[in-house]
Amino acid sequence: MLLKHCVTSVRDLSIRNYSIKSTLSENEIQKFSKMANEWWDVNGPFNGLHSLNKLRVPFIRNGICSHQKSAVVNNSPTSPLAGCSILDVGCGGGILSTSLGRLGASVTGIDPSEENITAASLHANKMRLQNVTFEVNTIEHFQALNTSLSTTFDAVVASEVIEHVENPKFFIQTCTELLKPGGSLFITTLNRTPASLALAICGAEYILNVVPRGTHDWNKFITPGELIDYINSSGCQLRQLCGMAYNPFINKWKWSGITSVNYAVHATKSSQVVTDDFIQNLN
Amino acid sequence: MKGFSLLSKYSNTIHNWRLNYSTASRSSHYDIIISGGGMVGFAMACRLGRSDCLANKRILLLESSNKKQLKLDSYNHRVSALNPGSKSLLESLGAWQHIEKTRFGSVKKMQVWDACSDAAVTFGKADLSEDIAWIVENDLVQDSLMKELDKIEQVEVQYKTKVTNYRLPQNADELVQVTLEDGSCLTTDLIIGADGFNSGLRQTIKTQYISYDYNQMAVVATLRISEGDENVTAWQRFLPTGPIALLPLNNEFSSLVWSTDKITAKSLLDLPPDVFTDRINQALWNNDDRNPMVQNVSERIFQMLKVCRVNSLEGNASDIRQLPPSVVEIKGRQAAFPLGLGHAVDYISNKAALIGDAAHRVHPLAGQGVNLGFGDVIALNDTVCEAVNNGADHGSSLYLKQYQSNRQLHNLPVMASVHGLHLLYGTTWTPLVMLRSIGLNVFDSLSSVKSFITQRASV
């Protein structure tokens, strides 16, 4: 089974259909919907995501507080993200959204899986978090809906999501369109390298069983170079790129200089917004 | 249709958590509850209350006894030797200023010696320029912390409130339920057990508890000592029956902590003051337990090492072997408390954590008991703050596990060493006496090793 997976991965390198203007993959949605009950079991199949919060929450908090001081002008030590609006794309069961909500941000979590959103909403209600809301939606539909409302966010987060979408370039573009000028984009994902095939797929899913089998498709992993290209072409500027290392034996993440398996990116949308009118006038 | 079926599937869950949360009205729900109000419990409440990131959390401390009024007419018998880490904690909590204004003993030197051979080790600078520990009455520490706690609005203290039952959650979405003697029920996201070595919370956690009854009691008293130089030395003599220690309170008084077997302890308790005073002086001065062969060898080695030390540049306190003071009289009556070793295999459970004697109990021979407890306070506060700063639930087991491993890594070696010393010095078997006497003399001359040990015992 493992060998078959490796062979298929190496052979089908161009499996992604970049021509489709869609981020949706029915297969991917099904994978996670089946495990909807287990999102909030800290020792369950999502324990790696719970412990990843120790890295990604401070990463997001510090990124916003240092680059968008105006967004958090009324913050306090108990609510460092008060006043900030965040969109969590592919929020799953709300593991990240809930934590950001506790820090005072107004969080909107979207996910195409109804089961996931139900689990996320239920948990947020139990925690009495009124500043966190969830919707069943894809990023492209959400963006289309919000264009008419001119709703934009101080930050858009897509953590451990882009490796599950069909068209990552389109995904980044759509995320950026939902950002305010100067807003922050936070991505955490996996790199497409032999190391990540060995560790994240073979090691994590087949040998140690710390990640459910079939969770990741190596062909969909994105290199930092590719991600930075998508980010630049959508009008954002890279601020930070950091590697992350995971110790599955003790379920612990730490920052690393090596980006060959997991990495995190912080980018900001340029403050100068070039409008269509301006371009027309030039012509 | 699909959405409706999902909703009905979850309706049971909603009903269950409503039952849990409907009783959690504003007045009976607290973000953190601390059970037990001794020095460690009050320090925990103060530390949490003073953390900026926890400023919006409601914290409650439950204490079963009445609010104590501090009596300062005479010295209280129960004292603690605070290490630099504990003193820093009390300073950061604003409690140390009250202690400083009231009274405390400074320890600038410690001399520990063996009754079987006179082998000794001293700690501290030869010129007595640095404080290595502070002797403070337990009641004064507690009172100082209470004074500071009164200033912190979001921390509430309920005295004369006894907990009869704890119900810990089965999953992360439920709350801890605490039932009080009057039948009322409180809920919380994190219960901290600071309820001493017979901890009710530890019994609820059902963790394996490794315990060892030393079959000893520590006899305590306040003693007037003979006049002489500044009383800044802590003395401890290891008798075969247990160590006897004199801890300086001020130039006139020292506190006695005499650990001995239960029968001897009980007989000491019954003695009239003058006889008791004689017995203390005998324990400090007589040579009945001395093993002549070991004494001989040990003395030669001491002289040899002294010659080596003369060549070293540092002013080592070991060069000057002082004699302990003699006791003139006892002030008030003597008292005693039982001694034992205890260690909980788990310091934590779902939304629950143990600190202080509830988690671990040591022999007082190394003066580490409350210092380990204060260390737990600092570590647990740091853990809770880290959880909150990362947007996690402050009772999250992901973080509590971190607290447990950090503290066990620190506490276990200390406890093992203290227990080891108790066993080593509890025998009169010549080979062991020889070994420990030579070892002690050699250890005494290794100032870098001594500094390392002192440093480790300071946090």
Side-chain angles (χ1 to χ4, degrees):
Chain A
M1 173 87 177
L2 168 59
L3 193 62
K4 190 180 169 195
H5 183 106
C6 290
V7 168
T8 326
S9 302
V10 171
R11 194 181 61 199
D12 302 331
L13 278 173
S14 56
I15 203 157
R16 266 171 152 159
N17 196 338
Y18 287 81
S19 60
I20 294 178
K21 288 284 187 191
S22 165
T23 59
L24 207 66
S25 161
E26 204 46 55
N27 193 27
E28 294 284 358
I29 298 170
Q30 282 306 316
K31 267 187 218 170
F32 289 100
S33 297
K34 278 184 202 155
M35 297 187 286
N37 287 335
E38 301 183 89
W39 283 106
W40 288 97
D41 178 4
V42 176
N43 301 310
F46 296 112
N47 64 347
L49 290 177
H50 282 280
S51 65
L52 183 58
N53 270 0
K54 287 187 189 178
L55 289 193
R56 56 185 178 172
V57 171
F59 184 67
I60 295 166
R61 184 191 70 223
N62 295 338
I64 293 173
C65 289
S66 52
H67 284 90
Q68 291 168 262
K69 290 191 172 63
S70 56
V72 291
V73 71
N74 291 320
N75 70 353
S76 65
T78 56
S79 293
L81 292 178
C84 182
S85 59
I86 303 180
L87 176 68
D88 184 4
V89 186
C91 62
I95 295 174
L96 181 57
S97 302
T98 309
S99 290
L100 294 172
R102 278 209 190 90
L103 296 184
S106 298
V107 185
T108 305
I110 62 170
D111 196 277
S113 158
E114 208 171 329
E115 284 89 344
N116 290 346
I117 292 297
T118 309
S121 302
L122 199 67
H123 189 264
N125 277 333
K126 285 184 192 176
M127 297 297 113
R128 297 182 189 172
L129 284 169
Q130 287 160 347
N131 51 327
V132 185
T133 52
F134 295 98
E135 314 184 1
V136 181
N137 221 329
T138 60
I139 182 70
E140 55 266 37
H141 289 136
F142 185 81
Q143 191 267 332
L145 277 169
N146 283 286
T147 307
S148 49
L149 298 168
S150 305
T151 307
T152 49
F153 295 87
D154 292 303
V156 172
V157 179
S159 178
E160 306 303 299
V161 167
I162 201 170
E163 66 269 19
H164 297 284
V165 306
E166 282 306 307
N167 188 337
K169 184 174 181 179
F170 174 63
F171 178 82
I172 297 288
Q173 212 173 301
T174 318
C175 287
T176 310
E177 278 159 23
L178 284 158
L179 272 176
K180 288 179 185 167
S184 284
L185 179 64
F186 295 97
I187 311 273
T188 75
T189 190
L190 294 119
N191 197 348
R192 193 178 65 251
T193 60
S196 66
L197 180 63
L199 294 170
I201 308 282
C202 304
E205 292 184 20
Y206 288 88
I207 300 173
L208 295 173
N209 294 316
V210 289
V211 175
R213 258 173 222 189
T215 299
H216 291 122
D217 179 351
W218 184 80
N219 297 298
K220 288 181 167 178
F221 289 176
I222 302 180
T223 65
E226 287 164 351
L227 186 60
I228 293 167
D229 277 340
Y230 302 149
I231 285 170
N232 286 337
S233 60
S234 64
C236 288
Q237 192 187 345
L238 178 73
R239 293 290 175 189
Q240 239 192 323
L241 167 65
C242 280
M244 303 188 291
Y246 182 58
N247 184 335
F249 300 104
I250 53 173
N251 188 25
K252 199 168 176 183
W253 289 89
K254 59 177 192 176
W255 292 113
S256 160
I258 302 165
T259 55
S260 44
V261 186
N262 296 81
Y263 63 97
V265 155
H266 173 207
T268 51
K269 184 172 178 176
S270 63
S271 310
Q272 297 292 328
V273 176
V274 178
T275 62
D276 289 339
D277 291 338
F278 182 68
I279 295 170
Q280 266 188 333
N281 287 338
L282 278 178
N283 296 335
Chain B
M1 212 46 206
K2 193 179 175 190
F4 181 77
S5 67
L6 268 171
L7 208 56
S8 63
K9 192 170 145 193
Y10 282 109
S11 67
N12 273 337
T13 330
I14 293 168
H15 176 67
N16 284 340
W17 72 249
R18 271 224 178 109
L19 279 176
N20 211 341
Y21 277 78
S22 61
T23 51
S25 63
R26 171 117 182 102
S27 57
S28 66
H29 177 78
Y30 292 86
D31 296 295
I32 303 173
I33 295 181
I34 302 163
S35 179
M39 291 185 282
V40 173
F42 277 109
M44 187 82 248
C46 267
R47 185 76 170 192
L48 291 170
R50 274 175 166 249
S51 295
D52 289 336
C53 59
L54 304 176
N56 60 350
K57 303 272 182 256
R58 289 184 74 221
I59 302 168
L60 173 67
L61 189 149
L62 298 170
E63 166 53 38
S64 56
S65 63
N66 230 328
K67 186 170 185 176
K68 277 190 195 159
Q69 294 302 321
L70 182 65
K71 291 192 188 98
L72 291 171
D73 40 348
S74 59
Y75 273 99
N76 295 288
H77 289 336
R78 295 297 300 269
V79 302
S80 293
L82 302 177
N83 67 14
S86 298
K87 184 187 177 235
S88 297
L89 171 66
L90 294 174
E91 277 171 336
S92 74
L93 299 177
W96 184 257
Q97 54 177 330
H98 304 295
I99 296 169
E100 214 169 19
K101 278 184 216 153
T102 315
R103 60 196 188 195
F104 67 93
S106 282
V107 178
K108 297 189 201 284
K109 188 178 158 195
M110 249 185 249
Q111 187 165 304
V112 180
W113 75 113
D114 190 343
C116 296
S117 70
D118 260 1
V121 62
T122 45
F123 294 96
K125 296 231 154 60
D127 58 0
L128 305 181
S129 54
E130 207 179 276
D131 286 330
I132 52 178
W134 296 264
I135 310 298
V136 189
E137 297 150 272
N138 292 357
D139 285 349
L140 177 55
V141 174
Q142 194 166 316
D143 187 75
S144 308
L145 287 164
M146 272 160 51
K147 281 194 169 78
E148 286 305 307
L149 206 53
D150 283 341
K151 300 177 189 170
I152 306 172
E153 263 183 53
Q154 96 252 36
V155 182
E156 205 184 303
V157 183
Q158 282 180 23
Y159 292 95
K160 282 194 90 176
T161 309
K162 200 173 166 201
V163 175
T164 51
N165 189 57
Y166 299 96
R167 192 173 165 273
L168 299 181
Q170 296 307 306
N171 62 54
D173 294 337
E174 289 174 18
L175 299 171
V176 178
Q177 285 175 16
V178 180
T179 313
L180 306 177
E181 209 170 26
D182 63 1
S184 61
C185 189
L186 305 172
T187 54
T188 183
D189 298 300
L190 174 63
I191 177 79
I192 300 176
D195 45 352
F197 66 85
N198 278 326
S199 168
L201 182 60
R202 190 186 67 236
Q203 283 156 29
T204 307
I205 288 175
K206 291 195 177 70
T207 173
Q208 200 186 342
Y209 185 62
I210 299 164
S211 66
Y212 181 81
D213 184 356
Y214 283 126
N215 247 322
Q216 285 191 339
M217 293 186 90
V219 177
V220 290
T222 307
L223 311 171
R224 188 195 301 277
I225 53 164
S226 56
E227 293 193 28
D229 294 331
E230 234 188 324
N231 183 18
V232 288
T233 305
W235 305 94
Q236 178 151 288
R237 193 183 195 204
F238 275 103
L239 307 172
T241 49
I244 177 168
L246 248 53
L247 307 170
L249 294 168
N250 62 22
N251 284 341
E252 225 187 318
F253 293 103
S254 280
S255 187
L256 170 78
V257 184
W258 187 352
S259 309
T260 187
D261 59 275
K262 281 183 176 159
I263 299 166
T264 312
K266 282 180 180 144
S267 68
L268 287 172
L269 282 175
D270 293 333
L271 292 176
D274 49 347
V275 182
F276 183 58
T277 310
D278 286 339
R279 291 287 292 275
I280 298 170
N281 282 323
Q282 273 172 31
L284 288 172
W285 291 90
N286 83 11
N287 296 321
D288 290 349
D289 295 308
R290 198 171 281 186
N291 183 320
M293 177 170 66
V294 175
Q295 166 65 11
N296 207 357
V297 173
S298 170
E299 190 58 37
R300 282 168 201 268
I301 291 185
F302 173 69
Q303 294 305 333
M304 242 167 57
L305 291 167
K306 200 169 169 184
V307 167
C308 299
R309 269 205 299 273
V310 159
N311 297 327
S312 85
L313 293 165
E314 355 172 322
N316 201 327
S318 321
D319 296 337
I320 309 154
R321 277 276 177 93
Q322 254 185 288
L323 295 169
S326 54
V327 178
V328 172
E329 63 171 353
I330 157 179
K331 207 119 176 20
R333 287 291 305 166
Q334 57 272 39
F337 61 91
L339 300 180
L341 169 74
H343 191 258
V345 171
D346 300 303
Y347 285 11
I348 60 153
S349 182
N350 291 342
K351 307 200 175 187
L354 301 172
I355 56 173
D357 282 3
H360 43 74
R361 189 186 174 201
V362 289
H363 198 287
L365 65 86
Q368 290 303 305
V370 83
N371 294 316
L372 293 180
F374 284 145
D376 294 344
V377 165
I378 297 169
L380 186 57
N381 178 72
D382 287 349
T383 299
V384 169
C385 286
E386 195 194 336
V388 169
N389 284 329
N390 288 345
D393 180 14
H394 47 271
S396 158
S397 57
L398 204 60
Y399 291 86
L400 291 182
K401 274 182 192 158
Q402 231 173 269
Y403 156 74
Q404 174 173 272
S405 41
N406 286 347
R407 285 316 288 167
Q408 290 193 340
L409 201 66
H410 179 274
N411 293 344
L412 281 166
V414 173
M415 294 178 66
S417 310
V418 171
H419 186 61
L421 284 172
H422 164 78
L423 293 174
L424 183 64
Y425 281 92
T427 178
T428 49
W429 191 46
T430 304
L432 265 179
V433 175
M434 180 81 77
L435 193 74
R436 76 191 189 207
S437 303
I438 297 170
L440 199 62
N441 276 332
V442 171
F443 172 67
D444 190 38
S445 61
L446 299 170
S447 28
S448 50
V449 179
K450 273 204 295 189
S451 310
F452 174 74
I453 301 284
T454 312
Q455 230 268 315
R456 287 278 316 197
S458 294
V459 289

